Amino acid sequence: MGRISTHSRFGGPFRHCLLGILLLLATSAMAGNEVDTRIALSDLRVLYLYDDPQSIDWASLYYLNDWYGARIDLVTVRPGDIFLARQSGLDDRQLYLHTYSLPDSGQYVDSILFDLSAYRYPDIILIGDLSANKQAESLAVQLIQAPYDSVRLFNISKIYREVDSLGRSMGVSINARELANRYRDRMVQEIPTLYPGFDFKQSGSEALLHYELLANRLDAGAAKGDFLSGLGTNRLGSIVGRRLSDGAIKESLSKRIKTYFSMISLSTGSYGKKRAEHMLTGLQELRTFQQQAKSEARLQETAGFAEYLDDQVGKLQELALDEIGLRWEGRIVVRESPDGPRVKFIATLASDGPTEIELNELRFEPYWDSTVVILDGESKKVQPHQTFVREYLVEVDREKLEAQQPESLLFSASLAYGKMPFAVSSSVPIWEAPDLDVSFLPSFLFIPPVPALNVDKVVDSRTWKALITKPPHFYGAVRLQLETPRGMFAGAYLTERQMLKGELSEVVRIPFTISNLFELGTQSVTLSLHANNKVVATDTAHIRIASCEIDDKIKIGFLPDTTGLLEDILRMTGAGFQPITDRSLAASDLDMYNVIVVGSGSSRDYPSLRNMRDRLTDFVRHGGSLIILGQPTDWPESALPVGFVPASEKLSGRDILNRIPGANMLSKPYAISDRGLLDQLERKQMLSAAVVTPAENIFVTPSGASLLSVSRLGDGQVIYCGLPLLEMVGQLNIEAIHLLANILNY
């Protein structure tokens, strides 16, 4: 091996530059080590209440997290139909985001408090701008009024609210701009992980931020100076001092705490193997303290002490594993197979330190069974700078895989570094999807047949709409993915979309083409919406080829039905149509239409209809076709040129009788199969039958009421259809589509 000589042509200034770079790297490494150690040692918790992510005081939070090692819990409350709690975060940085959805009621605030403080309250609460969020303000009020609980190990010590200026009030002022510049690199790297799409340009850049002290439960002198004045960063020693009586046991435990702090302090100024050894010794002392403390009733009776100690040991162990070069990764991959889902667990153990690492046992711990499954019980030693990788297959029932559990799949391993044992685990937590939805508009589509060609050639192009709905507070990137059947090809549309805060919905237009490869029958089209690389919503629509030709001379006016299906279906026919307003119905010239269709339930939105008998009679006598779809029992009397009384009956398709099998309406221009049409009505359901007089009844009920009839008047006719025709067309029944065309062409 050669060596670098500083007396070469790179001497002089280069030598000083090289030494400067090495010194800078050493200083950066020391700063990073100190931050990691502070986070591992600190038992401080800060809760920050906010409404708008763009207004969060990141500068103060990063200062508390970096300088004091405090855990930061950001909490926001959103309106929702049911109570939901979502959490995400950066474990290694002790930064966590909590989002609660709850109905507009104060009763759920207690649930939020319990979720946030299951075993301990935060030490400090910072309240941001909540002026536009009444639920978050209600939560803040309850936190301010929370009584001191002598049973708890930790209580809320201080509560601050962000204000425009302090004036004479007591509080803390922060140089936000300087702190933001100091932690800019961390913020740019970490904040988008918590808030995808976070806009740093819109975030606050004020030079000074002020926090007014609302409540102080420490000594009066502890309120001044800083957020943490009067609070220690680690209170394990003071807990033992307060809870235990003087004696040998208290002295022994206190000595272990001092050794633990001493070793961690020594590790801060050390590097390499020495730092790892000091860290492991400190961890061993803390673990021994934990075991001894279990036999002390006064400590175990203290609410939250066991959980507090577990948290401290866990943080220090993570830091120690990093120092000794132990790299553990457990990847869980779920794959479909003909026999159901299969879980593949890929265990990777690497040793980047000076000493070998031993893998003793690998376990699968199903949440639905108390029996632990041993996947690998053979001891394996991984030498320094080597990596061990192995895959394990696990069979899991689909119901278990999809169960709503905090950890749906949990794998754990027993490791050892020298004589020091470690336990590591990997899990797949349940991911709470944001309240997003996507749906086709409409959920079905029929298109005319494509010309028969000897070569595959795109012959028809159309557009389908989809609607994305979201709560107003959600924003960020989403992705659309369309799955089409054979012969259908999606055109160019924006698949990656940025949802904006405040918006409730967005319409997506998806162009597509159909070729003669498209197969007959009903085909499925699926549209999925992805957020954070996970599917959050899907919708499946159906499409088929069906002929529904309407004479080009026919101009259709319609009164919309309550479902909106009539307009969607008319658009698919390609016919010329126009909605009629209530004013047009009463005053405009109806002769501009050949056909007027009255949708189901439209009378409720057309008050003029009850006075339209004479105008509709003239329309029909002069050759117009008036089509009445099934109507409710509150239909206005004397509105039509014929007698019409709704009389609903509960029937199935087998109960319906065809009185005129050769009727023109069932044969021109399309021949209708009774069975193909009526067999879709398998189960008994309420059908909108009616008594129509005079009328030629085609389909009737056993009682004689009409389900399809024609009443001739002058040169025109009144057609009544009480079958659920629009719903049957929506299910792409080919006979229903043809019957609709026959009625409109009649």
Side-chain angles (χ1 to χ4, degrees):
M1 295 288 291
R3 62 187 179 89
I4 298 176
S5 172
T6 56
H7 298 286
S8 67
R9 61 192 179 107
F10 297 112
F14 174 76
R15 179 181 183 182
H16 296 294
C17 180
L18 177 62
L19 291 175
I21 292 174
L22 294 175
L23 181 60
L24 177 61
L25 292 175
T27 305
S28 300
M30 180 182 294
N33 292 340
E34 289 178 355
V35 173
D36 292 339
T37 304
R38 282 196 290 263
I39 290 176
L41 282 179
S42 177
D43 59 20
L44 288 168
R45 290 197 174 189
V46 176
L47 188 149
Y48 184 87
L49 278 172
Y50 73 97
D51 178 35
D52 184 357
Q54 295 293 155
S55 65
I56 293 176
D57 177 14
W58 292 106
S60 299
L61 298 180
Y62 269 87
Y63 164 66
L64 294 169
N65 177 253
D66 181 89
W67 191 251
Y68 294 103
R71 166 176 167 150
I72 308 296
D73 291 281
L74 296 102
V75 178
T76 188
V77 180
R78 305 297 181 197
D81 295 330
I82 59 175
F83 179 82
L84 285 176
R86 302 181 179 94
Q87 177 180 323
S88 59
L90 304 172
D91 289 325
D92 57 337
R93 291 301 184 185
Q94 293 287 285
L95 293 172
Y96 297 95
L97 168 64
H98 307 265
T99 302
Y100 295 95
S101 299
L102 66 160
D104 189 12
S105 172
Q107 63 179 324
Y108 293 97
V109 174
D110 291 338
S111 300
I112 296 177
L113 289 175
F114 179 79
D115 186 65
L116 290 172
S117 56
Y119 86 88
R120 63 164 291 182
Y121 282 127
D123 300 294
I124 296 175
I125 295 176
L126 304 180
I127 302 174
D129 181 11
L130 305 179
S131 57
N133 193 325
K134 294 181 180 179
Q135 293 171 313
E137 188 64 50
S138 176
L139 175 60
V141 171
Q142 292 209 25
L143 287 171
I144 294 172
Q145 298 174 351
Y148 181 87
D149 188 350
S150 59
V151 178
R152 285 181 174 269
L153 187 61
F154 297 100
N155 279 278
I156 300 172
S157 299
K158 296 181 182 180
I159 301 176
Y160 293 87
R161 181 188 289 275
E162 185 178 343
V163 293
D164 294 333
S165 61
L166 281 177
R168 295 184 178 181
S169 60
M170 191 174 294
V172 176
S173 295
I174 293 291
N175 189 336
R177 186 171 299 170
E178 188 275 331
L179 291 175
N181 291 332
R182 182 190 305 180
Y183 301 117
R184 176 64 59 184
D185 291 341
R186 273 192 64 189
M187 292 165 67
V188 170
Q189 182 180 5
E190 296 171 2
I191 293 177
T193 304
L194 297 172
Y195 296 96
F198 183 83
D199 189 353
F200 285 91
K201 294 180 181 179
Q202 296 183 13
S203 59
S205 59
E206 299 176 9
L208 287 178
L209 290 178
H210 307 283
Y211 283 90
E212 179 185 4
L213 181 64
L214 301 182
N216 175 34
R217 291 162 183 168
L218 301 174
D219 296 335
K224 300 179 180 179
D226 198 353
F227 290 121
L228 275 299
S229 58
L231 282 169
T233 57
N234 189 297
R235 286 153 287 179
L236 181 58
S238 63
I239 292 170
V240 171
R242 294 196 314 268
R243 300 287 174 172
L244 296 182
S245 303
D246 293 339
I249 295 177
K250 179 178 179 179
E251 185 177 347
S252 174
L253 292 177
S254 298
K255 184 177 180 181
R256 289 205 178 277
I257 294 174
K258 291 179 181 178
T259 306
Y260 151 58
F261 283 128
S262 177
M263 289 295 104
I264 302 304
S265 178
L266 287 173
S267 72
T268 303
S270 306
Y271 299 95
K273 187 176 181 179
K274 272 291 184 185
R275 175 177 167 84
E277 289 176 351
H278 292 323
M279 190 73 67
L280 289 174
T281 303
L283 177 60
Q284 185 62 52
E285 287 294 323
L286 185 59
R287 282 181 170 179
T288 305
F289 171 87
Q290 186 181 35
Q291 292 299 320
Q292 291 181 349
K294 290 181 179 179
S295 61
E296 295 304 313
R298 288 292 304 277
L299 292 177
Q300 294 305 309
E301 291 171 357
T302 303
F305 179 77
E307 293 85 352
Y308 161 74
L309 203 51
D310 286 340
D311 184 53
Q312 292 300 110
V313 172
K315 288 194 296 183
L316 186 57
Q317 176 171 301
E318 288 297 321
L319 183 59
L321 290 176
D322 187 63
E323 287 300 325
I324 65 179
L326 190 155
R327 302 288 182 265
W328 166 264
E329 180 186 10
R331 287 199 302 124
I332 301 171
V333 181
V334 181
R335 290 287 184 267
E336 289 291 339
S337 74
D339 299 323
R342 292 290 182 270
V343 175
K344 180 192 292 184
F345 180 69
I346 305 173
T348 303
L349 176 62
S351 174
D352 296 338
T355 306
E356 66 182 16
I357 297 175
E358 187 173 2
L359 173 62
N360 293 317
E361 189 178 71
L362 184 62
R363 302 174 298 275
F364 172 50
E365 303 178 18
Y367 66 85
W368 59 86
D369 196 341
S370 59
T371 304
V372 175
V373 180
I374 306 298
L375 298 180
D376 196 337
E378 181 181 352
S379 179
K380 302 167 186 65
K381 293 184 179 180
V382 182
Q383 300 301 321
H385 310 296
Q386 299 294 320
T387 302
F388 168 83
V389 181
R390 180 165 293 182
E391 297 181 358
Y392 303 89
L393 289 177
V394 181
E395 295 186 11
V396 181
D397 292 340
R398 184 179 299 278
E399 293 181 358
K400 303 293 193 303
L401 186 63
E402 297 177 352
Q404 296 294 309
Q405 295 291 325
E407 292 179 334
S408 59
L409 297 174
L410 178 63
F411 296 84
S412 60
S414 297
L415 309 175
Y417 180 87
K419 296 182 179 180
M420 176 74 71
F422 289 96
V424 293
S425 62
S426 300
S427 64
V428 175
I430 294 296
W431 181 69
E432 292 284 355
D435 189 16
L436 304 179
D437 190 34
V438 63
S439 57
F440 282 102
L441 296 177
S443 61
F444 64 94
L445 189 66
F446 61 83
I447 55 178
V450 296
L453 301 176
N454 294 326
V455 294
D456 175 28
K457 183 179 180 181
V458 174
V459 294
D460 196 10
S461 60
R462 293 178 176 269
T463 300
W464 212 337
K465 291 182 181 179
L467 179 67
I468 302 174
T469 56
K470 70 176 190 67
H473 64 268
F474 176 85
Y475 65 94
V478 297
R479 177 171 57 87
L480 290 168
Q481 182 174 335
L482 184 69
E483 298 179 19
T484 60
R486 183 172 180 262
M488 178 178 176
F489 307 94
Y493 68 99
L494 191 62
T495 57
E496 302 284 344
R497 295 175 176 269
Q498 195 72 27
M499 308 302 291
L500 302 178
K501 185 175 181 180
E503 293 183 347
L504 297 176
S505 63
E506 182 174 340
V507 176
V508 181
R509 289 173 173 80
I510 304 174
F512 68 92
T513 55
I514 295 295
S515 78
N516 59 4
L517 294 177
F518 192 88
E519 299 177 353
L520 296 178
T522 301
Q523 308 296 329
S524 298
V525 183
T526 301
L527 182 64
S528 56
L529 182 66
H530 299 248
N532 196 25
N533 294 322
K534 297 179 177 66
V535 178
V536 297
T538 60
D539 189 34
T540 299
H542 298 91
I543 182 173
R544 76 170 299 163
I545 292 176
S547 180
C548 188
E549 294 185 6
I550 309 299
D551 193 316
D552 293 340
K553 298 177 182 178
I554 294 179
K555 303 300 179 185
I556 303 172
F558 73 98
L559 280 58
D561 63 317
T562 55
T563 65
L565 280 174
L566 179 57
E567 182 176 356
D568 290 335
I569 293 171
L570 289 175
R571 186 171 285 109
M572 296 177 202
T573 66
F577 67 93
Q578 179 179 330
I580 301 175
T581 64
D582 186 63
R583 183 177 183 279
S584 297
L585 184 65
S588 68
D589 186 5
L590 299 181
D591 290 342
M592 62 185 297
Y593 307 108
N594 306 106
V595 177
I596 293 178
V597 183
V598 180
S600 300
S602 58
S603 60
R604 296 166 181 170
D605 297 322
Y606 285 79
S608 297
L609 190 60
R610 64 183 64 253
N611 302 316
M612 288 296 298
R613 180 169 184 170
D614 293 339
R615 279 175 56 80
L616 292 177
T617 300
D618 290 341
F619 170 76
V620 174
R621 286 187 180 279
H622 288 87
S625 181
L626 180 63
I627 301 172
I628 310 298
L629 300 182
Q631 299 296 332
T633 55
D634 59 355
W635 173 266
E637 297 181 8
S638 303
L640 299 178
V642 295
F644 179 79
V645 179
S648 299
E649 295 185 38
K650 192 170 186 180
L651 306 168
S652 68
R654 292 185 296 272
D655 301 323
I656 299 174
L657 305 175
N658 186 345
R659 289 281 179 84
I660 312 176
N664 289 337
M665 199 177 298
L666 299 181
S667 57
K668 296 179 181 180
Y670 300 101
I672 306 298
S673 165
D674 289 3
R675 290 303 94 194
L677 177 68
L678 302 178
D679 282 353
Q680 186 173 345
L681 306 175
E682 296 179 3
R683 299 180 180 179
K684 288 184 178 293
Q685 56 183 289
M686 294 303 297
L687 300 182
S688 300
V691 177
V692 185
T693 55
E696 298 174 10
N697 292 320
I698 302 172
F699 287 138
V700 297
T701 68
S703 66
S706 177
L707 286 171
L708 183 63
S709 67
V710 179
S711 301
R712 306 184 190 282
L713 187 63
D715 294 331
Q717 61 274 326
V718 177
I719 299 175
Y720 175 68
C721 182
L723 295 171
L725 187 61
L726 299 182
E727 289 78 2
M728 296 167 74
V729 172
Q731 296 172 15
L732 297 182
N733 181 304
I734 190 70
E735 304 297 339
I737 296 172
H738 288 168
L739 177 59
L740 174 66
N742 288 0
I743 292 175
L744 293 175
N745 284 298
Y746 195 79

